[in-house]
Amino acid sequence: MNSGQPLGSVTQGSLTGGLEVRLHPDISVEDMRVGKFLVVQGMRSRFFCMLTDVALGTANARIIADPPNWEDTFLREVLAGSGTYGTINLAPMLMFTPEEVEESFSPTNGKSANPFVPSMTGLASFQPQTSTTMELLPVKTIPSHFSQVYEASVDDFRRVFGWEDDTQRKNFSIGKPLDMDVPVCIDLDRFVERSNGVFGKSGTGKSFLTRLVLAGIVRKNAAVNLIFDMHSEYGWQAVCEGKQYSTVKGLKQLFPGKVEVYTLDPESTKRRGVRDAQELYLSYEQIEVEDVKLCSRDLGLSEAALDNANILYAEYGKAWILQLLNMTNEEIKMFCEEKRGHQGSIMSLQRKLLRLDNLKYMRAACPQNYINQILRSLEAGKHVVVEFGSQSDMLSYMLVTNMITRRIHSHYVSKAERFLHSGNVSDRPTQLVITIEEAHRFLDPAIVQSTIFGTIAREMRKYFVTLLVVDQRPSGIDNEVMSQIGTRITALLNDEKDIDAIFTGVSGAGSLRSVLAKLDSKQQALILGHAVPMPVVVRTRPYDATFYAEIGDPAWEEKPDEELFAAAELARADLGF
């Protein structure tokens, strides 16, 4: 039942094109904002809708031809509602039709046959005798002419998006509606089931959104995270955008017993005051041809060079890079004569791979297998953040991310197959979410078919490994991969190609395009997909001291300005600013 004032009446519409609503005379069109959550009350069903467009209408073209003077308030008031009016377009997203009507009413006894509408004799006489359960269904029809439109209530939001303290689901509040103070939750169990994305142009707060989601996953124990932290923003702390001398907590500070930080640049990590970080080194013997192939663009390698890399690997196995780097020109010539390699391509490959010697974390041999150490941390339920520090160039990021991911995915495939064979719950792998930034570099259409990240995105939850991709250029991601992205959290995008990419594989995308294009540049996002019942625009949850307290970590002491300034300068220096 709707106790609020109706906003307008449905005048026309279609299932595919949405509903057109004429606002009542006392409702200002200026109060209607794109992205608003509204409810349409039909005769038998309740429709949950998103406002997608706002327009002005007139009953007679002569009014536009000879408009009243702006100072003539009397004439404008006379015309308002009859001659001039506002209209809004709604996209129905969900509907609820009660299977069990509370009481059978007939027009002859003065009572309404609509269980949502009060009786003609007053609200007090409407006393339902039986209760119904709220089962939300996809929209298969539309409300009738002149159905009334209402503001969504707090109960409507709770019915659709749940609440954070629900003991049956792992709901996590990611923000609030644009015009209400009620949480909008995502279902983290459904969220981690599939690969997901956080998108938005530079400066719209993608990192804060990602950190918010990751904190929710840790807090609710929905999965374990492996985070490749390109700019050192998720582990210990990060500089707060727009505030000169302010930092925010990273996951290690919020959950010290649940998060481990591995660093490729120990010196940078120490300068920034990161505590208990573990060093991470990789050896040349761990690099396979597939790892080099992903970095071919950054290394400047040709297809011929990669073909000859396969010849070297077939001959020398894991030691192929060390052997190549130590070969003289004469030895390369002899090798090519014996193995039918191409001397020029191998010499070019040798020159390009010499760049690896400049990487701080590369070793000829490592005292231990650090990738296995990360794997043991993940299997123990720890969330792992891999920091890059000053080693945050694309070559390092793509090489390290690919090397670690390929081996961890291989291990998970073995564990999943063992679980499927045994059926023993104790053999079930813990759900793993791998977070990568600059995702279009890994999921480019030209290479996605041969990369581990394309494989993971297409597999969905088959082997209990999913991706969380963070990117400002979703148009650079392969369309097939984008169609498999389960939940999309999208801040403002301006480029038409990027907007088109966001709605790849989404039904009813036309009505949502205008919503995305009208987002504010800060602290607003459109959320749609597997983890939410319907698309929704939210003011994103602030990542601040209040948030720390809400997730159970109130011990946050404000630092002196001098310390904040020093931390900010160190972070900027490490990122090359």
Side-chain angles (χ1 to χ4, degrees):
M1 195 188 325
N2 297 294
S3 58
Q5 177 187 12
L7 305 177
S9 303
V10 174
T11 55
Q12 60 182 344
S14 68
L15 184 60
T16 56
L19 306 175
E20 183 175 310
V21 175
R22 179 167 172 169
L23 297 177
H24 292 324
D26 54 341
I27 302 299
S28 171
V29 71
E30 295 182 14
D31 293 333
M32 299 294 105
R33 305 291 178 89
V34 169
K36 191 179 181 70
F37 183 28
L38 298 174
V39 175
V40 179
Q41 186 58 70
M43 291 299 294
R44 288 182 295 178
S45 301
R46 189 175 179 84
F47 297 82
F48 301 97
C49 308
M50 177 182 286
L51 195 159
T52 58
D53 198 9
V54 184
L56 298 174
T58 56
N60 194 316
R62 295 176 61 185
I63 298 175
I64 302 176
D66 185 22
N69 191 298
W70 177 252
E71 296 178 354
D72 191 349
T73 57
F74 175 75
L75 182 55
R76 286 194 287 110
E77 290 177 0
V78 168
L79 291 173
S82 56
T84 63
Y85 52 87
T87 64
I88 57 176
N89 290 341
L90 303 182
M93 299 294 179
L94 293 170
M95 61 182 289
F96 164 58
T97 304
E99 295 180 358
E100 205 175 329
V101 178
E102 288 87 346
E103 185 176 339
S104 181
F105 300 101
S106 65
T108 56
N109 61 14
K111 296 182 179 181
S112 170
N114 184 351
F116 294 110
V117 178
S119 69
M120 301 299 290
T121 57
L123 189 63
S125 63
F126 179 73
Q127 300 292 336
Q129 301 300 314
T130 60
S131 62
T132 61
T133 58
M134 192 71 176
E135 184 181 359
L136 300 174
L137 300 172
V139 174
K140 298 293 180 65
T141 185
I142 57 174
S144 58
H145 277 94
F146 315 123
S147 294
Q148 296 298 287
V149 179
Y150 296 86
E151 295 265 10
S153 66
V154 173
D155 286 341
D156 289 324
F157 274 95
R158 288 175 69 92
R159 289 188 186 108
V160 175
F161 297 102
W163 53 95
E164 199 166 12
D165 55 354
D166 188 347
T167 58
Q168 303 299 318
R169 295 181 179 179
K170 293 179 180 177
N171 287 340
F172 178 72
S173 171
I174 196 169
K176 295 180 179 179
L178 299 181
D179 54 355
M180 292 184 68
D181 189 21
V182 55
V184 173
C185 297
I186 59 174
D187 186 336
L188 290 178
D189 280 334
R190 291 175 63 83
F191 185 83
V192 301
E193 280 181 354
R194 300 184 181 182
S195 293
N196 307 288
V198 178
F199 306 105
K201 71 177 187 177
S202 180
T204 54
K206 292 189 303 298
S207 297
F208 277 76
L209 266 171
T210 305
R211 194 183 301 110
L212 187 69
V213 172
L214 293 173
I217 293 174
V218 178
R219 178 72 177 83
K220 297 287 187 175
N221 295 315
V224 289
N225 292 295
L226 172 59
I227 305 156
F228 292 102
D229 191 359
M230 186 177 188
H231 300 301
S232 304
E233 295 178 306
Y234 305 114
W236 184 251
Q237 67 181 13
V239 179
C240 188
E241 296 178 7
K243 298 180 180 178
Q244 189 174 4
Y245 304 128
S246 178
T247 60
V248 293
K249 279 188 175 184
L251 299 176
K252 177 68 173 176
Q253 289 194 63
L254 290 176
F255 310 100
K258 296 182 177 181
V259 178
E260 293 184 355
V261 176
Y262 287 77
T263 177
L264 296 165
D265 187 359
E267 294 179 1
S268 168
T269 300
K270 289 177 182 177
R271 287 198 305 270
R272 288 182 287 107
V274 182
R275 301 173 190 171
D276 304 321
Q278 304 182 49
E279 297 181 355
L280 173 60
Y281 296 100
L282 300 173
S283 69
Y284 287 112
E285 292 186 349
Q286 291 176 302
I287 301 178
E288 298 180 5
V289 177
E290 287 81 359
D291 302 314
V292 174
K293 184 175 182 179
L294 183 65
C295 306
S296 60
R297 184 188 309 172
D298 299 280
L299 288 170
L301 297 176
S302 64
E303 287 294 329
L306 293 173
D307 290 339
N308 282 272
N310 285 315
I311 297 174
L312 288 163
Y313 188 83
E315 177 66 20
Y316 298 114
K318 293 181 179 180
W320 72 281
I321 292 182
L322 287 175
Q323 288 286 346
L324 174 62
L325 296 180
N326 292 323
M327 291 172 72
T328 64
N329 290 350
E330 188 62 31
E331 289 172 335
I332 291 176
K333 181 179 179 181
M334 293 176 60
F335 176 84
C336 292
E337 291 175 352
E338 293 177 6
K339 304 299 179 182
R340 296 184 179 179
H342 188 276
Q343 183 177 352
S345 296
I346 292 182
M347 292 178 69
S348 173
L349 179 64
Q350 184 187 53
R351 289 194 306 271
K352 301 298 176 57
L353 292 182
L354 281 172
R355 288 182 58 187
L356 301 181
D357 278 338
N358 298 325
L359 304 178
K360 294 182 178 180
Y361 52 86
M362 289 305 306
R363 296 288 186 272
C366 292
Q368 60 176 308
N369 190 321
Y370 289 92
I371 297 179
N372 286 344
Q373 187 175 330
I374 291 176
L375 191 53
R376 286 193 293 271
S377 296
L378 294 172
E379 290 186 327
K382 302 287 186 179
H383 305 266
V384 174
V385 180
V386 178
E387 283 195 353
F388 285 73
S390 64
Q391 304 294 292
S392 60
D393 58 281
M394 282 309 303
L395 172 60
S396 288
Y397 191 69
M398 296 185 74
L399 178 64
V400 172
T401 301
N402 194 60
M403 289 176 65
I404 295 176
T405 301
R406 284 181 60 248
R407 286 151 183 82
I408 288 178
H409 179 260
S410 177
H411 179 80
Y412 261 75
V413 169
S414 298
K415 288 195 67 174
E417 290 174 346
R418 186 163 58 250
F419 166 65
L420 292 173
H421 175 72
S422 68
N424 192 336
V425 177
S426 62
D427 291 334
R428 186 182 190 276
T430 303
Q431 185 71 40
L432 172 64
V433 176
I434 300 176
T435 301
I436 56 172
E437 300 180 276
E438 298 292 337
H440 66 275
R441 299 296 296 270
F442 301 92
L443 301 171
D444 185 278
I447 61 173
V448 70
Q449 298 297 331
S450 58
T451 68
I452 186 59
F453 302 100
T455 301
I456 293 173
R458 290 189 298 270
E459 286 174 351
M460 296 172 66
R461 62 169 301 180
K462 182 177 179 181
Y463 296 115
F464 303 94
V465 181
T466 57
L467 297 177
L468 176 57
V469 299
V470 184
D471 206 293
Q472 63 185 11
R473 283 189 53 209
S475 59
I477 298 176
D478 181 68
N479 285 339
E480 182 183 353
V481 172
M482 281 299 298
S483 68
Q484 299 297 330
I485 296 294
T487 304
R488 305 167 199 198
I489 304 173
T490 310
L492 178 64
L493 288 168
N494 295 128
D495 190 274
E496 287 295 322
K497 292 181 180 179
D498 291 330
I499 294 175
D500 288 340
I502 290 298
F503 297 115
T504 300
V506 177
S507 61
S511 59
L512 296 175
R513 287 176 59 88
S514 61
V515 176
L516 180 57
K518 298 299 188 295
L519 294 178
D520 287 351
S521 60
K522 293 286 186 181
Q523 280 196 305
Q524 284 191 12
L526 170 66
I527 306 172
L528 61 107
H530 190 59
V532 287
M534 61 174 280
V536 62
V537 176
V538 298
R539 289 177 288 116
T540 55
R541 189 174 184 175
Y543 191 90
D544 53 16
T546 302
F547 172 73
Y548 308 152
E550 289 172 347
I551 65 171
D553 181 33
W556 172 248
E557 298 178 1
E558 293 293 339
K559 298 183 179 181
D561 285 350
E562 295 80 2
E563 291 186 36
L564 292 172
F565 177 77
E569 288 302 303
L570 283 174
R572 289 172 63 84
D574 286 332
L575 297 178
F577 296 143

